[in-house]
Each structure stands twice: as C-alpha cells, then as structure tokens.
C-alpha cells in the first residue's frame, strides 16, 4: 500500500510538470516572433523554389540536396 501511494504521488508530479511545460510552450513559444521567423524560413524558400525553380533540373537538384543532407 505504501508503494502505491508513492507511485501515485510521482505520477501526479509528472502530470503537473507536463501541464506546466505545455502551458509554457503555449504562452511563450508558439506564435512568438521567433516561431514566426522559423515558420517563414521553413516555408517560403520552398514556395519560391516551386515558383522560379528550373523544372527540368529538379530531379538532379533534389538528388544533390539529399546527398548534401546525408553528408552533413
């Protein structure tokens, strides 16, 4: 019975810590200016590449990009 209470206490502490982490993530990280910059820098280059990229060289460019990612 003593072990069960200790486990329940530890479980409740973990649940509270998880709740606090989610609260911090929602209030401090999501939709902050740094989040918007990261989202912008992740999405916009792909859109630009789709719009102005050379379609006939796309397979070669994607292959070279894959090789560079694997090497680094």
């Amino acid at each position: 019975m003593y072990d069960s209470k200790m486990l329940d206490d530890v479980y409740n502490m973990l649940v509270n810590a998880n709740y606090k982490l989610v609260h911090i993530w929602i209030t401090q990280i999501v939709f902050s200016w740094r989040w918007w910059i990261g989202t912008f820098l992740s999405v916009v280059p792909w859109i630009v590449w789709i719009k102005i990229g050379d379609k006939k060289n796309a397979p070669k460019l994607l292959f070279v990009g894959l090789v560079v990612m694997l090497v680094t």
Side-chain angles (χ1 to χ4, degrees):
M1 187 134 192
Y2 179 71
D3 291 335
S4 178
K5 182 171 180 352
M6 284 178 47
L7 286 174
D8 287 342
D9 291 342
V10 170
Y11 176 75
N12 288 332
M13 288 171 49
L14 288 172
V15 168
N16 288 335
N18 188 31
Y19 175 76
K20 289 178 183 179
L21 283 172
V22 169
H23 178 72
I24 290 170
W25 182 73
I26 288 172
T27 59
Q28 301 293 322
I29 296 173
V30 177
F31 303 123
S32 67
W33 65 271
R34 290 179 183 155
W35 185 86
W36 283 110
I37 289 174
T39 303
F40 180 80
L41 291 175
S42 297
V43 173
V44 171
W46 284 102
I47 294 171
V48 170
W49 185 71
I50 288 170
K51 293 286 186 186
I52 65 172
D54 189 12
K55 303 298 186 229
K56 67 178 181 173
N57 288 331
K60 284 193 276 186
L61 289 172
L62 290 172
F63 177 72
V64 169
L66 175 66
V67 170
V68 168
M69 284 189 331
L70 291 175
V71 168
T72 56

